[in-house]
Amino acid sequence: MNPVERNTGSISRVLNLLKYFKSRRYNVDFISKQDWGNYTPQSIAAFEQSELADNLWVLKRKPVKKNPITYFFRYKLWHVLFERKLKLAKGSFPNHTTLHLRNQFDAILTKKKYDIIIISYAYWADLIKDNPHIGKSLTIIDTHDLLSSQHQNDVGFDPGVALADELRRLSHFRQIWTISAEETYFFRQFYKEKVRYIPMMMDDPGAGNTTFEQRDFDLIYVATDNPHNLASAEWFFTNVYPLLPKTLRFCVIGTILGHIPENLNNITRVPFAEDLHAYYHRSRVALCPMLTGTGVKVKVVEAMAHGLPVVCSEAGVDGMPEKSNNGCLVANDAAGFAEYIMQLLRDRELYEKQRRLGRDCFIRNFDTQEVYKKIDRALSDSLH
């Protein structure tokens, strides 16, 4: 992933961690994979100009295949042996640790010793398995998600095998960072002392000074076109949207627009927004009709930060450390979802109460400076 793209929650996570280390005056090197982000000469230059890291390495999954015979004997054969050594679990989620990636990673570690090594996602956990170059580094896995849940619909998936494999991969690390309350609870059942709850973080944008009457949009919906959002958008616009007055003004932002009917005239369409702040400050209520997915929903926290009440399904509050009095009204049926929207738009007292609850929840749990304190404590526990 390339943090300068800023187009997904996982990228926001990495970007904010890089900002943390910069604020604490750490020297930081960033390692990524060529096909795990948009790495062109231009995007690489943009990352270097951001000064988020001292060095950037973009690794390749496998070597260039110039000669089939040479490729087989010099890489493919050894890679098969490497995978056998890893004992890949059939039925689990993907393991993206290839021999070529491991060799490139080890080459970096032989040139430089690190106090801290953080790996995002358990896909690459085996980069440090039995790795003699790690030395005394504090190794941290930033889980992002419970990957066994994310991949449960994969062909040939076995939940028992996947969960066991995920726990095995996490066992390599001295600390396990979790982003949601549910995953923190789950992983602590197996690795009590290792788990640190490091929620998503965001600089406080403030609730803005625009009054309810001055806001252009009644509803704002921000989403990419990942499979979870596709199913959620289809459910909302098929079942909830017909129950709402056509006089309501929607603002829909993101690649999800490619899957929303074109003939809905009360929708302002914004395929990409460099800065979401202005749109949140112009909107009254945020929507998160998520049906599936794990982890904290970034769009919910963004809305809370900007002082917008949220109407969401039960999955919309997944990962939240506070399940109630958090600025979210939760409904899983279409009629209830539509009713909550209309209550917020008609009942100013309820609206202001939900705004206040959401802002307070954000400040307590997700404000950058509050999360920085959690990271300070996590690192202090192991480094000193």
Side-chain angles (χ1 to χ4, degrees):
M1 60 186 70
N2 189 338
V4 298
E5 293 177 324
R6 306 184 187 189
N7 57 359
T8 66
S10 59
I11 289 179
S12 296
R13 172 71 163 186
V14 173
L15 179 64
N16 284 315
L17 287 178
L18 289 172
K19 288 180 177 178
Y20 165 82
F21 286 109
K22 185 175 181 178
S23 76
R24 297 301 191 255
R25 301 185 182 279
Y26 282 80
N27 293 320
V28 178
D29 292 345
F30 186 74
I31 302 173
S32 189
K33 190 163 74 86
Q34 181 68 54
D35 56 353
W36 192 250
N38 178 29
Y39 287 103
T40 64
Q42 294 77 18
S43 65
I44 290 174
F47 181 88
E48 292 171 343
Q49 291 168 10
S50 72
E51 298 183 345
L52 291 169
D54 299 282
N55 297 293
L56 167 67
W57 281 280
V58 181
L59 310 184
K60 294 183 178 179
R61 180 177 174 272
K62 57 184 179 180
V64 178
K65 187 176 181 181
K66 294 181 179 180
N67 182 293
I69 297 177
T70 303
Y71 177 83
F72 177 79
F73 284 104
R74 289 188 178 179
Y75 174 70
K76 186 66 176 180
L77 182 60
W78 294 103
H79 175 67
V80 171
L81 295 175
F82 175 73
E83 286 191 329
R84 287 184 180 178
K85 186 177 180 181
L86 290 181
K87 297 180 180 179
L88 299 184
K90 186 177 181 181
S92 183
F93 57 91
N95 189 328
H96 293 327
T97 305
T98 66
L99 176 61
H100 192 57
L101 279 174
R102 175 68 180 258
N103 289 340
Q104 294 168 91
F105 183 69
D106 288 357
I108 294 171
L109 297 185
T110 58
K111 295 176 183 177
K112 195 171 184 178
K113 300 303 178 185
Y114 295 94
D115 296 306
I116 304 168
I117 297 174
I118 300 178
I119 291 181
S120 290
Y121 289 105
Y123 296 123
W124 292 278
D126 283 329
L127 284 172
I128 71 163
K129 180 185 179 184
D130 302 325
N131 194 323
H133 306 294
I134 296 296
K136 296 181 179 180
S137 301
L138 168 60
T139 53
I140 300 169
I141 180 71
D142 191 26
T143 55
H144 287 259
D145 282 308
L146 179 64
L147 294 183
S148 297
S149 178
Q150 287 287 345
H151 288 273
Q152 62 184 290
N153 295 319
D154 290 1
V155 176
F157 179 85
D158 185 317
V161 170
L163 285 169
D165 188 36
E166 186 157 6
L167 292 172
R168 177 198 66 79
R169 297 190 206 187
L170 300 190
S171 71
H172 302 323
F173 296 83
R174 286 172 57 190
Q175 282 193 12
I176 300 166
W177 286 8
T178 54
I179 198 170
S180 81
E182 285 87 347
E183 287 154 19
T184 301
Y185 173 81
F186 177 75
F187 289 133
R188 276 184 178 160
Q189 304 310 301
F190 304 94
Y191 303 115
K192 292 181 176 60
E193 300 303 320
K194 287 186 176 187
V195 177
R196 300 292 188 278
Y197 174 50
I198 309 294
M200 66 163 291
M201 68 191 93
M202 186 184 303
D203 292 338
D204 184 2
N209 298 318
T210 310
T211 66
F212 183 93
E213 290 76 16
Q214 291 171 326
R215 298 186 177 231
D216 302 320
F217 306 113
D218 296 298
L219 303 168
I220 185 170
Y221 177 42
V222 181
T224 59
D225 57 354
N226 68 46
H228 298 295
N229 286 331
L230 291 178
S232 302
E234 181 180 6
W235 175 80
F236 178 84
F237 284 100
T238 301
N239 299 285
V240 181
Y241 179 85
L243 304 178
L244 299 171
K246 299 304 176 281
T247 54
L248 294 186
R249 295 163 296 177
F250 283 73
C251 179
V252 179
I253 302 174
T255 51
I256 194 67
L257 279 167
H259 307 271
I260 293 175
E262 294 282 350
N263 61 342
L264 307 182
N265 298 324
N266 58 340
I267 293 179
T268 296
R269 298 168 180 266
V270 183
F272 174 77
E274 182 70 32
D275 184 0
L276 289 172
H277 296 314
Y279 290 99
Y280 279 118
H281 287 149
R282 293 168 60 191
S283 304
R284 293 170 176 163
V285 175
L287 303 176
C288 181
M290 295 296 291
L291 304 178
T292 58
T294 60
V296 176
K297 308 303 181 286
V298 175
K299 61 176 72 68
V300 172
V301 177
E302 287 176 341
M304 293 163 55
H306 289 87
L308 270 67
V310 179
V311 180
C312 62
S313 52
E314 194 169 13
V317 293
D318 279 353
M320 286 284 180
E322 301 173 20
K323 297 298 185 183
S324 61
N325 296 322
N326 56 12
C328 300
L329 295 178
V330 179
N332 289 325
D333 64 288
F337 204 100
E339 180 59 28
Y340 274 145
I341 290 172
M342 298 312 301
Q343 284 183 23
L344 285 170
L345 294 175
R346 291 169 177 165
D347 186 338
R348 193 62 53 84
E349 184 177 345
L350 174 65
Y351 181 86
E352 292 301 329
K353 176 185 176 182
Q354 292 300 114
R355 265 172 64 95
R356 187 168 57 254
L357 289 171
R359 278 285 298 166
D360 291 346
C361 181
F362 167 79
I363 296 297
R364 284 192 300 271
N365 298 288
F366 304 109
D367 178 67
T368 295
Q369 296 308 314
E370 289 301 313
V371 181
Y372 276 13
K373 293 175 186 177
K374 294 180 184 292
I375 301 176
D376 288 340
R377 288 193 293 269
L379 297 181
S380 178
D381 288 347
S382 294
L383 292 178
H384 305 294

